[in-house]
């Protein structure tokens, strides 16, 4: 092997800076389609498929958190629920999908639930049926990031109809949809107790 070809190895590229090149949408769609088909051929129900896709995304979430923490050289970690969710819906979303999530909201009915909205989730844009099942991969990524940061939570993906007049910040080149993905984050009791104790200080 010549010295010039050794320096062009992917292992020689620094992970400190964000990469300017992106994976093409068609390449991602193909690889993700293969992942879904792989799991689909080994399950007997939609809930099993969602579980497997979520598990696949879980490990990715840990690695994304580790990479972003390393790149930013952040010395402090997030300790509050809203701070970590804003990190997920902005920094994590931008590093994975090239844009921030469309919205982050707290549930009116349940204090332990938060929702991250995405009008054009890349994982289900080219899926004809069971779109929330395809988005389960992203819910696994969110759960992995949160667990790695010390915020135990159950994350599930849901599909909700877009209301008339509702804004959408979709990616260029993706088909427009009549529904949106909602990632429901339900935190563990111990996380809520810790957040409440930090609020009272």
């Amino acid at each position: 092997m010549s010295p010039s070809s050794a320096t062009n190895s992917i292992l020689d590229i620094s992970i400190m800076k964000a990469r300017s090149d992106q994976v093409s949408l068609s390449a991602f769609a193909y690889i993700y389609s293969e992942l879904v088909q792989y799991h689909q051929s080994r399950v007997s129900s939609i809930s099993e498929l969602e579980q497997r896709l979520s598990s696949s995304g879980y490990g990715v979430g840990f690695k994304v958190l580790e990479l972003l923490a390393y790149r930013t050289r952040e010395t402090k970690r997030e300790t509050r629920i809203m701070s970590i969710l804003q990190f997920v819906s902005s920094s994590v979303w931008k590093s994975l999908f090239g844009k921030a999530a469309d919205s982050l909201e707290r549930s009116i009915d349940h204090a332990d639930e938060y929702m991250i909205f995405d009008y054009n989730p890349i994982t289900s844009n080219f899926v004809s049926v069971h779109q929330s099942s395809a988005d389960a991969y992203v819910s696994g990524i969110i759960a992995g990031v949160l667990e790695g940061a010390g915020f135990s939570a159950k994350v599930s993906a849901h599909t909700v109809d877009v209301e008339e007049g509702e804004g959408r910040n979709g990616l260029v080149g993706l088909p427009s949809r009549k529904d949106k993905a909602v990632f429901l984050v339900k935190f563990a009791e111990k996380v809520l107790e810790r957040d409440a104790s930090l609020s009272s200080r």
Side-chain angles (χ1 to χ4, degrees):
M1 181 184 281
S2 68
S4 62
S5 64
T7 58
N8 293 334
S9 168
I10 193 165
L11 300 175
D12 296 323
I13 299 170
S14 172
I15 62 170
M16 281 304 296
K17 57 184 178 184
R19 299 202 37 194
S20 58
D21 55 335
Q22 297 179 343
V23 175
S24 74
L25 185 58
S26 58
F28 172 80
Y30 176 74
I31 291 170
Y32 187 67
S33 166
E34 290 298 312
L35 176 71
V36 172
Q37 288 177 42
Y38 172 81
H39 289 306
Q40 200 170 21
S41 66
R42 289 161 174 75
V43 298
S44 57
S45 68
I46 296 296
S47 60
E48 257 186 282
L49 175 63
E50 289 175 355
Q51 178 63 39
R52 281 178 171 254
L53 288 173
S54 181
S55 296
S56 295
Y58 190 79
V60 174
F62 269 100
K63 294 298 183 187
V64 167
L65 176 65
E66 185 179 340
L67 178 64
L68 292 177
Y70 184 74
R71 279 186 181 158
T72 59
R73 297 224 182 241
E74 193 63 50
T75 55
K76 67 177 188 79
R77 70 178 189 89
E78 301 296 349
T79 56
R80 305 301 305 276
I81 288 176
M82 278 309 293
S83 300
I84 193 68
L85 286 174
Q86 286 169 345
F87 171 75
V88 168
S89 63
S90 60
S91 300
V92 171
W93 232 260
K94 283 179 187 173
S95 76
L96 292 173
F97 307 120
K99 69 176 187 77
D102 293 306
S103 178
L104 168 64
E105 296 177 14
R106 185 175 186 168
S107 173
I108 297 168
D109 301 326
H110 306 283
D112 61 343
E113 292 181 353
Y114 294 79
M115 295 164 283
I116 300 173
F117 294 89
D118 194 338
Y119 289 104
N120 278 312
I122 196 169
T123 50
S124 63
N125 254 312
F126 305 103
V127 177
S128 56
V129 291
H130 308 302
Q131 289 178 326
S132 61
S133 298
D135 290 330
Y137 182 74
V138 178
S139 69
I141 293 174
I142 296 168
V145 170
L146 292 174
E147 187 68 39
F151 293 83
S152 297
K154 290 187 178 178
V155 185
S156 55
H158 306 274
T159 304
V160 178
D161 289 336
V162 174
E163 296 173 14
E164 194 166 327
E166 201 171 347
R168 42 173 70 237
N169 302 325
L171 292 171
V172 176
L174 293 180
S176 73
R177 294 171 43 150
K178 294 181 176 143
D179 52 22
K180 61 187 172 188
V182 179
F183 300 97
L184 182 66
V185 181
K186 185 176 178 66
F187 286 100
E189 191 64 37
K190 64 180 182 181
V191 174
L192 297 170
E193 288 170 2
R194 183 181 69 207
D195 198 62
S197 69
L198 289 171
S199 296
S200 62
R201 287 182 185 174

